[in-house]
Amino acid sequence: MTDGRPVARQSLAAARGIELPDPDTLTGPQLEGWDCALCERRLLADQLLGTVEWTCGSRTREVELWVCRPLCGDGDGSDGA
């Protein structure tokens, strides 16, 4: 269910068969979109991987996860970047 959001928001993860990371394992900069959600490197060029629900205390919010462009080694099925 997309709740009015474009279906394409999940397309990179779905197209590449990438499992979205557990938001509880991500760092603050990864959750804020400063660092790659997969490899933790600072993002200079990015692309939307997908969205996850992240809960902090009693508040749940939808967080967009951003990744390296071109996709880093952690997301392309290779052994490394």
Side-chain angles (χ1 to χ4, degrees), residues 48-69:
L48 181 64
L49 177 64
T51 58
V52 294
E53 286 189 357
W54 177 66
T55 302
C56 183
S58 63
R59 182 176 175 222
T60 299
R61 67 180 179 125
E62 191 170 277
V63 178
E64 293 180 334
L65 298 181
W66 295 88
V67 294
C68 299
R69 180 185 299 258

Side-chain angles (χ1 to χ4, degrees), residues 11-36:
S11 64
L12 180 62
R16 295 286 186 118
I18 301 170
E19 185 175 335
L20 293 172
D22 178 351
D24 291 332
T25 65
L26 300 176
T27 65
Q30 286 175 299
L31 290 167
E32 292 296 325
W34 292 102
D35 291 354
C36 177

Side-chain angles (χ1 to χ4, degrees), residues 34-48:
W34 292 102
D35 291 354
C36 177
L38 298 175
C39 73
E40 296 187 53
R41 291 188 191 110
R42 178 67 65 181
L43 291 171
L44 301 176
D46 59 21
Q47 57 191 326
L48 181 64

